[in-house]
Amino acid sequence: MKKIEDKAFDFSAKLRQQSVLGRLKDYIAWQRSVRSGNNDVSLPWLSPVSVNLDLTTACNFACPHCVDSGIINTGEYLDLENIKGSIDRLKSLGLLSVILIGGGEPTLHRDFEDIVRFIKGRDLQLGLVTNGVRLDRVFPVADLMSDQDWVRISIDAAREETFIRSHRPKQKKVGLRTILDNARELKRLNPDISLGYSFVIVWDGIEVMGQELCPNVEEISEAVKLAREYSFDFVSYKPCLLRLDNSQKETLFDKPDIERETRIIDVIRENLAKAEMEAGVAVKILQSVNLQAMLDRNVHELKKQPRYCHMQFFRTVLTPSGIFHCPAFRGVEKAKFAPSTGYMDDDQFDGVMKNLEYSIQAFDASRECDVVACFYHHVNWWVENFIVSGRDIDEIEEVGDTNFFL
């Protein structure tokens, strides 16, 4: 778990891992060739390193802060044949990890257990983001997971009332303690699994559709107490993101107010310090890239993107409605470059690569992502700066393989 989580957000290091470095070099060489005017060279015919796999749009929560609320419960899902064909094709071309996440609750897919068995049978690293209500569906496949796999439960609270207000579960019998009990049982079934307590920080005054969200800042350190009690390995803190109605883009602090931001940041810092003390060595505290930027009053820097989003070559999002180049643009038509069947066979994959090549060239991240506090900001700039530096590709330092999640 330590190796995995130490590199949770160090994406440039992940791209320099032994198993990934070759395609990073190929990509840089392609970019340099195209920029020098050679349009006869094609994008390397390789799979992404990692895919976000949205199994279904079904969700049994109604979280008012959900950035995907516009695309859930549409009745769409990926069928098992598509999933198996896509995973096999991608694995043969270099896929290394799969994250079951987003656009719905993965454990609600009718073939969830078979999908996990198939992914692990292909020797891929597996991450699962779940609301925890159907952890009983993870129990039968828990033994298939290794110490490089993780399950992260979206809890976002430490008190029962806050949990209910934040998630609005559709089943009245669902509660925080029930989910925590099942999380501890999952850890008992397989102690090797890296078990995470996900906490989206919500502060006073955040409104969605005219309705104020339930704040949870005062529960930040209480969550660590629960994490220790229920055998979690880490607590992951992220700031609440909003999806702007007029652009469909995820953003942070949509209405700048320096005095308000300063007050919020000070309160969050204070509570995170308490959380660190509470964690000790028993629980690891993770802070997302955009949370760190927010605390450093540096969010504006994350919104200054290079012209090219290089990460779309290394990480994509496969959903029931299509393949998208970025999690922050899940469901946004301009970020879609293939139908959901695009990875199933060579003919379709060839079309995907042509569309992806066009997307890399045509999607202007400096303009399209100017309000997005991007997780991949640093690695995009790292790749861009290396491309234009003229340095020999073989100068890139290789690091050991540990974590292929992007």
Side-chain angles (χ1 to χ4, degrees):
M1 188 274 292
K2 184 177 187 298
K3 287 184 179 180
I4 291 176
E5 300 310 329
D6 279 350
K7 284 188 178 179
F9 303 113
D10 187 355
F11 297 113
S12 66
K14 292 182 183 185
L15 294 186
R16 290 183 282 116
Q17 293 177 101
Q18 182 180 20
S19 297
V20 183
L21 185 57
R23 79 186 81 185
L24 172 62
K25 291 180 177 181
D26 288 346
Y27 176 79
I28 291 173
W30 170 77
Q31 275 279 2
R32 286 177 171 175
S33 183
V34 169
R35 295 186 193 192
S36 69
N38 182 2
N39 294 317
D40 294 329
V41 62
S42 297
L43 186 68
W45 219 69
L46 296 166
S47 86
V49 175
S50 181
V51 292
N52 282 13
L53 182 58
D54 295 0
L55 302 183
T56 176
T57 64
C59 189
N60 46 10
F61 278 5
C63 311
H65 63 274
C66 177
V67 294
D68 293 325
S69 59
I71 58 174
I72 63 172
N73 292 320
T74 65
E76 296 177 290
Y77 64 93
L78 289 171
D79 63 57
L80 188 57
E81 180 183 357
N82 185 345
I83 293 168
K84 288 183 174 181
S86 298
I87 294 297
D88 268 344
R89 182 66 49 196
L90 292 172
K91 170 65 177 178
S92 71
L93 294 168
L95 180 69
L96 295 171
S97 77
V98 177
I99 305 175
L100 304 179
I101 182 177
E105 168 53 40
T107 60
L108 294 183
H109 193 285
R110 63 189 181 190
D111 297 312
F112 173 78
E113 293 167 36
D114 288 338
I115 292 166
V116 172
R117 290 189 181 96
F118 187 83
I119 292 170
K120 292 308 300 176
R122 295 302 184 270
D123 196 29
L124 295 164
Q125 289 185 355
L126 177 66
L128 169 64
V129 179
T130 173
N131 60 30
V133 173
R134 295 303 312 273
L135 280 178
D136 60 298
R137 298 201 67 192
V138 186
F139 294 166
V141 292
D143 63 314
L144 301 177
M145 301 178 76
S146 73
D147 60 359
Q148 292 184 318
D149 301 321
W150 50 262
V151 174
R152 194 175 77 225
I153 305 174
S154 300
I155 300 176
D156 310 321
R159 303 171 191 170
E160 195 72 40
E161 180 183 1
T162 304
F163 175 81
I164 297 300
R165 289 180 60 194
S166 296
H167 294 294
R168 301 180 185 177
K170 296 178 182 179
Q171 297 172 287
K172 292 185 178 180
K173 64 179 181 179
V174 172
L176 174 59
R177 292 288 173 168
T178 301
I179 290 174
L180 292 173
D181 284 337
N182 285 335
R184 181 161 54 192
E185 174 62 12
L186 176 63
K187 189 67 175 178
R188 186 193 69 78
L189 290 170
N190 185 351
D192 288 339
I193 294 174
S194 185
L195 184 62
Y197 191 124
S198 184
F199 196 106
V200 173
I201 301 173
V202 180
W203 49 89
D204 292 335
I206 300 180
E207 291 189 358
V208 175
M209 303 293 288
Q211 182 175 350
E212 186 170 352
L213 302 186
C214 180
N216 59 14
V217 175
E218 299 300 329
E219 298 173 40
I220 287 175
S221 62
E222 293 176 31
V224 177
K225 291 181 182 180
L226 291 178
R228 293 180 61 179
E229 180 181 353
Y230 287 91
S231 304
F232 285 83
D233 296 294
F234 66 95
V235 182
S236 176
Y237 292 104
K238 295 168 286 187
C240 183
L241 294 174
L242 302 174
R243 195 176 283 258
L244 296 181
D245 294 336
N246 62 342
S247 67
Q248 297 183 295
K249 303 171 185 177
E250 292 178 9
T251 189
L252 180 63
F253 279 139
D254 59 318
K255 297 178 181 178
D257 181 333
I258 300 301
E259 183 177 342
R260 174 172 172 260
E261 289 179 22
T262 298
R263 175 179 57 81
I264 290 168
I265 288 169
D266 288 346
V267 173
I268 292 175
R269 276 193 178 279
E270 179 183 341
N271 282 279
L272 283 172
K274 293 178 182 177
E276 291 282 359
M277 293 182 63
E278 183 66 42
V281 296
V283 178
K284 190 170 185 65
I285 301 295
L286 300 179
Q287 295 181 21
S288 67
V289 171
N290 49 12
L291 176 59
Q292 293 175 32
M294 172 182 165
L295 296 178
D296 293 337
R297 295 174 172 83
N298 203 28
V299 172
H300 62 284
E301 286 298 324
L302 289 189
K303 297 180 181 182
K304 295 178 182 177
Q305 314 301 346
R307 164 68 178 77
Y308 298 96
C309 174
H310 302 294
M311 280 297 289
Q312 56 184 302
F313 176 70
F314 301 99
R315 179 263 310 119
T316 58
V317 185
L318 174 56
T319 82
S321 60
I323 302 173
F324 297 85
H325 71 235
C326 179
F329 284 82
R330 176 187 276 109
V332 179
E333 196 63 27
K334 67 174 64 177
K336 177 179 174 180
F337 59 88
S340 62
T341 57
Y343 288 140
M344 287 191 67
D345 55 54
D346 283 345
D347 287 341
Q348 292 191 80
F349 191 85
D350 186 55
V352 168
M353 294 308 293
K354 289 176 181 175
N355 291 341
L356 178 58
E357 182 172 343
Y358 175 79
S359 177
I360 293 172
Q361 303 277 41
F363 187 87
D364 185 350
S366 64
R367 180 173 56 85
E368 298 288 353
C369 305
D370 60 350
V371 299
V372 180
C374 180
F375 272 28
Y376 308 106
H377 170 271
H378 300 308
V379 67
N380 271 328
W381 275 112
W382 183 88
V383 174
E384 178 64 23
N385 289 334
F386 195 93
I387 290 169
V388 301
S389 71
R391 291 169 56 195
D392 190 312
I393 291 176
D394 290 332
E395 291 182 27
I396 300 175
E397 181 183 1
E398 179 182 302
V399 299
D401 290 348
T402 53
N403 175 4
F404 301 121
F405 297 107
L406 297 175

